[in-house]
Amino acid sequence: MAKFKKGLILLSVMGATVALTACNDNKDTTKDNNTTHATESKSTKSDNSTSKEKSESVSENELSEKTKLALAFFADDVDQYILTKDEALTGVFENKTGGETKNKQLYKLLLIKEQGVANAPKDMNFYTVHPPKGSFASIIGVSKDKIFVGGTQGALDYKEMSDTGNEYSIKDLYNKNKGYTSLSELAKKIEITDKNPMLDDKTREEFEANENPNTNTHLRTQVYQMIEELDGEPIDTDKYLVDNVQMTKGGKWYVNYRNKNAEIVGTYTTKDGKVIKKDSDGNILKSKVVEQRN
């Protein structure tokens, strides 16, 4: 039970925006859920195959901008400036503001293009990361062969930021992580934009509501209680990373669990009124009718 409590604390910000439907599925949403997870499974296998092919044929000079940006989250010692790969993929991140540390839930991972960075290398593109890790701007710079990660509370000046930030070799980062399906997954999750959407009041309120650590905590707790009842024990959070509760378009919840390389190794969801556990290929490992707790 200790491990489950650890997981509950770690994931206390989990939430969703629609009602829980674990035990009252209808045929239409079941079909939608099955289709969604079959697609996810095929995508995982395809990504894995593609990743292996790329490791043999793609050099760091041929990488897309999104893949280079994704590599920044895989680098060591970036957690003080930007989200880590684990935070970006599981959907739960640590934010430090005003001397207080809070867990928040990730809504969208935005990379906002920045222009006019002073004293910057001519071939380096800069982005502000949303959400930030604290009360400062989280910055990533990408050139042909380097990645810069840092932060600033003032003007965007590369010389000043580089005094405290870190530079990484794209070649080294890519060779270290190119075999992981989590790299391509994270690259797909990144949204690049020319304008900061946080400047719009309505959009900012939307993000703040969805990042709020108190959003639908009860729903998340119910889901993890049902998962524990299915397995007969809590998810081992020392062995696995566990995602935020996510929803299909049909309104069903699902929870991915990952290895320590942040690759999806299985999924919990619902089918025909049962809570089920699948492996990464979509095969059902176990299923059980589980009563929803209040």
Side-chain angles (χ1 to χ4, degrees):
M1 192 63 187
K3 289 181 179 177
F4 180 56
K5 289 182 178 179
K6 178 180 177 182
L8 289 179
I9 294 172
L10 175 65
L11 300 169
S12 61
V13 302
M14 299 292 190
T17 57
V18 299
L20 184 67
T21 59
C23 300
N24 296 291
D25 307 322
N26 59 43
K27 292 183 180 179
D28 290 337
T29 54
T30 297
K31 180 178 180 181
D32 178 81
N33 189 57
N34 292 342
T35 302
T36 299
H37 286 285
T39 301
E40 289 170 353
S41 175
K42 291 179 181 178
S43 177
T44 300
K45 294 178 70 177
S46 176
D47 287 346
N48 188 46
S49 176
T50 302
S51 180
K52 290 179 180 178
E53 291 174 3
K54 284 185 176 181
S55 69
E56 298 175 355
S57 60
V58 177
S59 73
E60 66 277 4
N61 295 326
E62 299 174 285
L63 298 178
S64 68
E65 189 81 347
K66 281 192 175 183
T67 299
K68 290 180 180 180
L69 288 167
L71 283 170
F73 298 91
F74 280 73
D76 295 329
D77 303 319
V78 297
D79 58 309
Q80 60 182 316
Y81 299 117
I82 64 173
L83 277 64
T84 65
K85 73 177 188 306
D86 295 352
E87 292 177 317
L89 289 168
T90 62
V92 180
F93 69 97
E94 193 175 74
N95 176 270
K96 298 179 181 179
T97 304
E100 185 178 7
T101 300
K102 291 183 178 180
N103 280 343
K104 291 187 175 183
Q105 56 186 7
L106 179 64
Y107 178 46
K108 294 180 180 180
L109 184 58
L110 302 181
L111 275 295
I112 305 161
K113 292 182 180 180
E114 294 290 350
Q115 304 293 335
V117 178
N119 300 307
K122 292 182 179 180
D123 66 337
M124 184 169 280
N125 299 323
F126 288 89
Y127 302 84
T128 296
V129 182
H130 183 89
K133 285 290 285 188
S135 53
F136 55 85
S138 298
I139 304 295
I140 296 177
V142 175
S143 68
K144 180 179 179 181
D145 58 357
K146 291 182 180 180
I147 291 173
F148 168 79
V149 177
T152 181
Q153 289 182 312
L156 295 179
D157 187 306
Y158 182 75
K159 184 177 180 180
E160 292 182 4
M161 291 189 296
S162 61
D163 287 340
T164 55
N166 301 319
E167 275 192 352
Y168 303 90
S169 162
I170 289 178
K171 181 177 180 179
D172 291 345
L173 281 175
Y174 181 60
N175 286 337
K176 182 179 180 180
N177 298 288
K178 62 185 178 182
Y180 302 140
T181 57
S182 46
L183 176 59
S184 59
E185 182 188 354
L186 182 49
K188 292 175 183 177
K189 193 168 187 174
I190 289 172
E191 298 181 30
I192 297 176
T193 178
D194 292 320
K195 297 182 179 180
N196 187 352
M198 298 300 105
L199 298 178
D200 178 77
D201 290 341
K202 185 176 181 180
T203 301
R204 187 177 65 254
E205 290 174 1
E206 174 189 337
F207 272 72
E208 288 174 350
N210 283 281
E211 292 173 352
N212 192 318
N214 298 317
T215 300
N216 287 327
T217 301
H218 181 59
L219 169 62
R220 200 274 311 154
T221 301
Q222 287 180 316
V223 168
Y224 277 84
Q225 286 174 339
M226 288 187 286
I227 289 173
E228 181 177 359
E229 187 170 339
L230 170 66
D231 280 343
E233 59 183 3
I235 298 176
D236 187 347
T237 53
D238 290 328
K239 184 177 180 181
Y240 298 109
L241 303 172
V242 185
D243 280 11
N244 194 347
V245 176
Q246 302 178 68
M247 309 300 291
T248 68
K249 293 181 179 179
K252 290 187 177 182
W253 63 262
Y254 65 98
V255 174
N256 297 318
Y257 59 100
R258 303 170 181 270
N259 60 25
K260 291 303 181 178
N261 296 319
E263 298 174 297
I264 296 173
V265 293
T267 302
Y268 294 92
T269 185
T270 62
K271 179 181 179 181
D272 299 331
K274 298 179 180 179
V275 177
I276 64 172
K277 181 180 182 179
K278 297 181 178 182
D279 64 18
S280 59
D281 293 321
N283 301 311
I284 297 177
L285 302 176
K286 60 175 67 175
S287 64
K288 183 179 180 180
V289 175
V290 177
E291 294 298 327
Q292 178 179 335
R293 303 181 191 179
N294 295 321

